[in-house]
Structures are given as structure tokens and as C-alpha cells.
mmCIF file of all heavy atoms in Angstrom:
data_model
loop_
_atom_site.group_PDB
_atom_site.id
_atom_site.type_symbol
_atom_site.label_atom_id
_atom_site.label_comp_id
_atom_site.label_asym_id
_atom_site.label_seq_id
_atom_site.Cartn_x
_atom_site.Cartn_y
_atom_site.Cartn_z
ATOM 1 N N PRO A 37 115.623 176.304 22.085
ATOM 2 C CA PRO A 37 114.784 177.322 21.454
ATOM 3 C C PRO A 37 114.190 178.267 22.488
ATOM 4 O O PRO A 37 114.004 177.915 23.652
ATOM 5 C CB PRO A 37 113.698 176.498 20.745
ATOM 6 C CG PRO A 37 114.289 175.133 20.567
ATOM 7 C CD PRO A 37 115.200 174.928 21.731
ATOM 8 N N TRP A 38 113.862 179.475 22.004
ATOM 9 C CA TRP A 38 113.392 180.507 22.923
ATOM 10 C C TRP A 38 112.134 180.097 23.661
ATOM 11 O O TRP A 38 112.018 180.285 24.870
ATOM 12 C CB TRP A 38 113.143 181.795 22.154
ATOM 13 C CG TRP A 38 112.308 182.778 22.895
ATOM 14 C CD1 TRP A 38 111.050 183.186 22.593
ATOM 15 C CD2 TRP A 38 112.666 183.475 24.094
ATOM 16 N NE1 TRP A 38 110.586 184.089 23.516
ATOM 17 C CE2 TRP A 38 111.559 184.296 24.460
ATOM 18 C CE3 TRP A 38 113.789 183.488 24.906
ATOM 19 C CZ2 TRP A 38 111.569 185.110 25.576
ATOM 20 C CZ3 TRP A 38 113.801 184.302 26.027
ATOM 21 C CH2 TRP A 38 112.707 185.102 26.363
ATOM 22 N N ARG A 39 111.153 179.527 22.989
ATOM 23 C CA ARG A 39 109.898 179.181 23.656
ATOM 24 C C ARG A 39 110.109 178.140 24.744
ATOM 25 O O ARG A 39 109.538 178.242 25.840
ATOM 26 C CB ARG A 39 108.887 178.674 22.633
ATOM 27 C CG ARG A 39 108.362 179.755 21.694
ATOM 28 C CD ARG A 39 107.295 179.207 20.766
ATOM 29 N NE ARG A 39 106.762 180.253 19.892
ATOM 30 C CZ ARG A 39 105.806 180.065 18.999
ATOM 31 N NH1 ARG A 39 105.261 178.855 18.866
ATOM 32 N NH2 ARG A 39 105.392 181.060 18.240
ATOM 33 N N ILE A 40 110.921 177.133 24.453
ATOM 34 C CA ILE A 40 111.181 176.098 25.456
ATOM 35 C C ILE A 40 111.962 176.687 26.621
ATOM 36 O O ILE A 40 111.693 176.388 27.796
ATOM 37 C CB ILE A 40 111.931 174.923 24.804
ATOM 38 C CG1 ILE A 40 111.016 174.229 23.787
ATOM 39 C CG2 ILE A 40 112.411 173.929 25.859
ATOM 40 C CD1 ILE A 40 111.656 173.071 23.073
ATOM 41 N N THR A 41 112.942 177.543 26.315
ATOM 42 C CA THR A 41 113.687 178.205 27.389
ATOM 43 C C THR A 41 112.763 179.055 28.253
ATOM 44 O O THR A 41 112.895 179.112 29.490
ATOM 45 C CB THR A 41 114.791 179.079 26.788
ATOM 46 O OG1 THR A 41 115.674 178.273 26.007
ATOM 47 C CG2 THR A 41 115.606 179.762 27.878
ATOM 48 N N HIS A 42 111.807 179.709 27.604
ATOM 49 C CA HIS A 42 110.874 180.578 28.328
ATOM 50 C C HIS A 42 110.054 179.789 29.352
ATOM 51 O O HIS A 42 110.014 180.136 30.549
ATOM 52 C CB HIS A 42 109.956 181.269 27.308
ATOM 53 C CG HIS A 42 109.142 182.378 27.899
ATOM 54 N ND1 HIS A 42 108.202 183.069 27.189
ATOM 55 C CD2 HIS A 42 109.107 182.897 29.160
ATOM 56 C CE1 HIS A 42 107.638 183.974 27.966
ATOM 57 N NE2 HIS A 42 108.167 183.891 29.171
ATOM 58 N N TRP A 43 109.390 178.722 28.885
ATOM 59 C CA TRP A 43 108.553 177.977 29.839
ATOM 60 C C TRP A 43 109.394 177.239 30.859
ATOM 61 O O TRP A 43 108.987 177.092 32.022
ATOM 62 C CB TRP A 43 107.596 177.039 29.124
ATOM 63 C CG TRP A 43 108.161 175.782 28.528
ATOM 64 C CD1 TRP A 43 108.406 175.528 27.229
ATOM 65 C CD2 TRP A 43 108.550 174.589 29.245
ATOM 66 N NE1 TRP A 43 108.929 174.259 27.063
ATOM 67 C CE2 TRP A 43 109.018 173.662 28.291
ATOM 68 C CE3 TRP A 43 108.541 174.210 30.592
ATOM 69 C CZ2 TRP A 43 109.480 172.400 28.623
ATOM 70 C CZ3 TRP A 43 109.008 172.936 30.935
ATOM 71 C CH2 TRP A 43 109.471 172.055 29.947
ATOM 72 N N MET A 44 110.567 176.751 30.472
ATOM 73 C CA MET A 44 111.437 176.053 31.421
ATOM 74 C C MET A 44 111.863 176.998 32.544
ATOM 75 O O MET A 44 111.791 176.657 33.747
ATOM 76 C CB MET A 44 112.672 175.514 30.689
ATOM 77 C CG MET A 44 113.695 174.850 31.608
ATOM 78 S SD MET A 44 115.290 174.611 30.774
ATOM 79 C CE MET A 44 115.922 176.302 30.771
ATOM 80 N N THR A 45 112.323 178.198 32.174
ATOM 81 C CA THR A 45 112.807 179.159 33.177
ATOM 82 C C THR A 45 111.676 179.650 34.063
ATOM 83 O O THR A 45 111.822 179.744 35.295
ATOM 84 C CB THR A 45 113.488 180.337 32.461
ATOM 85 O OG1 THR A 45 114.500 179.848 31.574
ATOM 86 C CG2 THR A 45 114.121 181.282 33.466
ATOM 87 N N ALA A 46 110.535 179.976 33.445
ATOM 88 C CA ALA A 46 109.405 180.462 34.243
ATOM 89 C C ALA A 46 108.903 179.387 35.202
ATOM 90 O O ALA A 46 108.638 179.663 36.390
ATOM 91 C CB ALA A 46 108.285 180.912 33.300
ATOM 92 N N THR A 47 108.789 178.150 34.715
ATOM 93 C CA THR A 47 108.320 177.064 35.577
ATOM 94 C C THR A 47 109.288 176.814 36.720
ATOM 95 O O THR A 47 108.885 176.638 37.890
ATOM 96 C CB THR A 47 108.136 175.785 34.747
ATOM 97 O OG1 THR A 47 107.249 176.029 33.669
ATOM 98 C CG2 THR A 47 107.613 174.651 35.615
ATOM 99 N N ALA A 48 110.586 176.790 36.406
ATOM 100 C CA ALA A 48 111.590 176.544 37.446
ATOM 101 C C ALA A 48 111.593 177.661 38.488
ATOM 102 O O ALA A 48 111.686 177.406 39.699
ATOM 103 C CB ALA A 48 112.966 176.408 36.801
ATOM 104 N N ALA A 49 111.498 178.922 38.036
ATOM 105 C CA ALA A 49 111.513 180.045 38.979
ATOM 106 C C ALA A 49 110.302 179.997 39.908
ATOM 107 O O ALA A 49 110.421 180.214 41.128
ATOM 108 C CB ALA A 49 111.543 181.364 38.210
ATOM 109 N N LEU A 50 109.126 179.727 39.341
ATOM 110 C CA LEU A 50 107.923 179.641 40.176
ATOM 111 C C LEU A 50 108.012 178.471 41.151
ATOM 112 O O LEU A 50 107.598 178.581 42.321
ATOM 113 C CB LEU A 50 106.689 179.502 39.282
ATOM 114 C CG LEU A 50 106.341 180.744 38.445
ATOM 115 C CD1 LEU A 50 105.179 180.441 37.514
ATOM 116 C CD2 LEU A 50 105.993 181.925 39.360
ATOM 117 N N ALA A 51 108.569 177.332 40.692
ATOM 118 C CA ALA A 51 108.707 176.172 41.574
ATOM 119 C C ALA A 51 109.673 176.460 42.712
ATOM 120 O O ALA A 51 109.401 176.139 43.882
ATOM 121 C CB ALA A 51 109.177 174.964 40.761
ATOM 122 N N VAL A 52 110.823 177.091 42.383
ATOM 123 C CA VAL A 52 111.793 177.427 43.427
ATOM 124 C C VAL A 52 111.188 178.421 44.418
ATOM 125 O O VAL A 52 111.364 178.302 45.648
ATOM 126 C CB VAL A 52 113.082 177.988 42.794
ATOM 127 C CG1 VAL A 52 114.005 178.563 43.863
ATOM 128 C CG2 VAL A 52 113.803 176.902 42.009
ATOM 129 N N ALA A 53 110.475 179.423 43.903
ATOM 130 C CA ALA A 53 109.845 180.410 44.791
ATOM 131 C C ALA A 53 108.836 179.735 45.724
ATOM 132 O O ALA A 53 108.786 180.027 46.927
ATOM 133 C CB ALA A 53 109.163 181.492 43.950
ATOM 134 N N ALA A 54 108.056 178.807 45.192
ATOM 135 C CA ALA A 54 107.074 178.108 46.026
ATOM 136 C C ALA A 54 107.763 177.236 47.064
ATOM 137 O O ALA A 54 107.335 177.184 48.240
ATOM 138 C CB ALA A 54 106.162 177.260 45.135
ATOM 139 N N ILE A 55 108.835 176.533 46.663
ATOM 140 C CA ILE A 55 109.546 175.663 47.615
ATOM 141 C C ILE A 55 110.167 176.481 48.724
ATOM 142 O O ILE A 55 110.095 176.138 49.923
ATOM 143 C CB ILE A 55 110.616 174.852 46.853
ATOM 144 C CG1 ILE A 55 109.947 173.844 45.924
ATOM 145 C CG2 ILE A 55 111.547 174.143 47.833
ATOM 146 C CD1 ILE A 55 110.917 173.166 44.959
ATOM 147 N N VAL A 56 110.803 177.619 48.354
ATOM 148 C CA VAL A 56 111.465 178.456 49.361
ATOM 149 C C VAL A 56 110.442 179.098 50.290
ATOM 150 O O VAL A 56 110.631 179.160 51.519
ATOM 151 C CB VAL A 56 112.315 179.538 48.657
ATOM 152 C CG1 VAL A 56 112.821 180.563 49.665
ATOM 153 C CG2 VAL A 56 113.480 178.889 47.926
ATOM 154 N N ALA A 57 109.341 179.570 49.718
ATOM 155 C CA ALA A 57 108.351 180.274 50.539
ATOM 156 C C ALA A 57 107.626 179.333 51.490
ATOM 157 O O ALA A 57 107.340 179.688 52.645
ATOM 158 C CB ALA A 57 107.343 180.978 49.622
ATOM 159 N N THR A 58 107.326 178.124 51.061
ATOM 160 C CA THR A 58 106.565 177.194 51.908
ATOM 161 C C THR A 58 107.461 176.330 52.772
ATOM 162 O O THR A 58 106.996 175.780 53.786
ATOM 163 C CB THR A 58 105.703 176.284 51.036
ATOM 164 O OG1 THR A 58 106.546 175.495 50.183
ATOM 165 C CG2 THR A 58 104.745 177.114 50.182
ATOM 166 N N GLY A 59 108.721 176.187 52.376
ATOM 167 C CA GLY A 59 109.605 175.304 53.120
ATOM 168 C C GLY A 59 109.194 173.851 53.048
ATOM 169 O O GLY A 59 109.635 173.034 53.863
ATOM 170 N N LEU A 60 108.325 173.494 52.104
ATOM 171 C CA LEU A 60 107.812 172.126 51.925
ATOM 172 C C LEU A 60 107.134 171.616 53.194
ATOM 173 O O LEU A 60 107.206 170.430 53.538
ATOM 174 C CB LEU A 60 108.943 171.174 51.502
ATOM 175 C CG LEU A 60 109.582 171.462 50.129
ATOM 176 C CD1 LEU A 60 110.682 170.448 49.849
ATOM 177 C CD2 LEU A 60 108.535 171.443 49.027
ATOM 178 N N ARG A 61 106.489 172.521 53.885
ATOM 179 C CA ARG A 61 105.799 172.131 55.116
ATOM 180 C C ARG A 61 104.304 172.404 54.989
ATOM 181 O O ARG A 61 103.874 173.262 54.223
ATOM 182 C CB ARG A 61 106.366 172.902 56.316
ATOM 183 C CG ARG A 61 107.797 172.476 56.661
ATOM 184 C CD ARG A 61 108.360 173.316 57.805
ATOM 185 N NE ARG A 61 109.665 172.844 58.228
ATOM 186 C CZ ARG A 61 110.806 173.166 57.633
ATOM 187 N NH1 ARG A 61 110.802 173.964 56.579
ATOM 188 N NH2 ARG A 61 111.958 172.703 58.086
ATOM 189 N N SER A 62 103.559 171.650 55.734
ATOM 190 C CA SER A 62 102.106 171.838 55.748
ATOM 191 C C SER A 62 101.658 172.047 57.204
ATOM 192 O O SER A 62 101.909 171.182 58.066
ATOM 193 C CB SER A 62 101.400 170.619 55.157
ATOM 194 O OG SER A 62 100.006 170.811 55.116
ATOM 195 N N PRO A 63 101.040 173.126 57.525
ATOM 196 C CA PRO A 63 100.731 174.231 56.597
ATOM 197 C C PRO A 63 102.001 175.000 56.224
ATOM 198 O O PRO A 63 102.980 174.961 56.950
ATOM 199 C CB PRO A 63 99.773 175.093 57.398
ATOM 200 C CG PRO A 63 100.183 174.853 58.820
ATOM 201 C CD PRO A 63 100.567 173.413 58.899
ATOM 202 N N PRO A 64 102.005 175.713 55.076
ATOM 203 C CA PRO A 64 103.210 176.425 54.631
ATOM 204 C C PRO A 64 103.596 177.517 55.613
ATOM 205 O O PRO A 64 102.749 178.159 56.228
ATOM 206 C CB PRO A 64 102.789 177.009 53.273
ATOM 207 C CG PRO A 64 101.301 177.018 53.294
ATOM 208 C CD PRO A 64 100.883 175.856 54.136
ATOM 209 N N GLN A 65 104.912 177.712 55.734
ATOM 210 C CA GLN A 65 105.413 178.699 56.689
ATOM 211 C C GLN A 65 105.389 180.111 56.115
ATOM 212 O O GLN A 65 105.398 181.086 56.850
ATOM 213 C CB GLN A 65 106.853 178.354 57.075
ATOM 214 C CG GLN A 65 106.964 177.064 57.879
ATOM 215 C CD GLN A 65 108.408 176.785 58.260
ATOM 216 O OE1 GLN A 65 109.331 177.349 57.694
ATOM 217 N NE2 GLN A 65 108.584 175.924 59.248
ATOM 218 N N LEU A 66 105.390 180.226 54.763
ATOM 219 C CA LEU A 66 105.459 181.525 54.091
ATOM 220 C C LEU A 66 106.618 182.348 54.615
ATOM 221 O O LEU A 66 106.477 183.532 54.955
ATOM 222 C CB LEU A 66 104.136 182.280 54.256
ATOM 223 C CG LEU A 66 102.899 181.610 53.623
ATOM 224 C CD1 LEU A 66 101.669 182.471 53.841
ATOM 225 C CD2 LEU A 66 103.129 181.373 52.140
ATOM 226 N N ALA A 67 107.773 181.718 54.683
ATOM 227 C CA ALA A 67 108.997 182.401 55.106
ATOM 228 C C ALA A 67 109.883 182.628 53.888
ATOM 229 O O ALA A 67 109.608 182.159 52.784
ATOM 230 C CB ALA A 67 109.728 181.573 56.165
ATOM 231 N N ASN A 68 110.978 183.358 54.100
ATOM 232 C CA ASN A 68 111.970 183.624 53.033
ATOM 233 C C ASN A 68 111.316 184.180 51.770
ATOM 234 O O ASN A 68 111.654 183.817 50.649
ATOM 235 C CB ASN A 68 112.741 182.349 52.674
ATOM 236 C CG ASN A 68 113.588 181.836 53.818
ATOM 237 O OD1 ASN A 68 114.145 182.634 54.584
ATOM 238 N ND2 ASN A 68 113.677 180.522 53.951
ATOM 239 N N LEU A 69 110.352 185.073 51.976
ATOM 240 C CA LEU A 69 109.671 185.646 50.808
ATOM 241 C C LEU A 69 110.624 186.485 49.958
ATOM 242 O O LEU A 69 110.435 186.609 48.737
ATOM 243 C CB LEU A 69 108.481 186.495 51.266
ATOM 244 C CG LEU A 69 107.342 185.722 51.936
ATOM 245 C CD1 LEU A 69 106.220 186.670 52.343
ATOM 246 C CD2 LEU A 69 106.795 184.644 50.998
ATOM 247 N N ASP A 70 111.620 187.105 50.619
ATOM 248 C CA ASP A 70 112.596 187.883 49.844
ATOM 249 C C ASP A 70 113.373 186.990 48.883
ATOM 250 O O ASP A 70 113.632 187.351 47.732
ATOM 251 C CB ASP A 70 113.543 188.615 50.788
ATOM 252 C CG ASP A 70 114.224 187.657 51.769
ATOM 253 O OD1 ASP A 70 113.708 186.525 51.939
ATOM 254 O OD2 ASP A 70 115.250 188.034 52.352
#
């Protein structure tokens, strides 16, 4: 359904963006912002 697809896609995109930007390191590297 559209609503489930909406939250699934938005959540996944934000999670991937956070993982890529921080590199899963502490403190975050804030790299690969593009």
C-alpha cells in the first residue's frame, strides 16, 4: 500500500543517508555528503 511504501522508503533513505554520512564512526566523519 502507498502509505506503507511511503514510510518504508523515507525511513530507508534517511537511514542510508545517515550511515553514509557518518560512516558509522564516533565522532561522525560527515563524509560522502553527496
Side-chain angles (χ1 to χ4, degrees):
W38 163 248
R39 290 184 178 181
I40 293 179
T41 301
H42 191 184
W43 75 256
M44 176 194 75
T45 306
T47 304
L50 292 175
V52 170
I55 292 170
V56 170
T58 62
L60 295 180
R61 291 177 175 83
S62 182
Q65 293 181 343
L66 297 181
N68 295 324
L69 294 180
D70 55 342

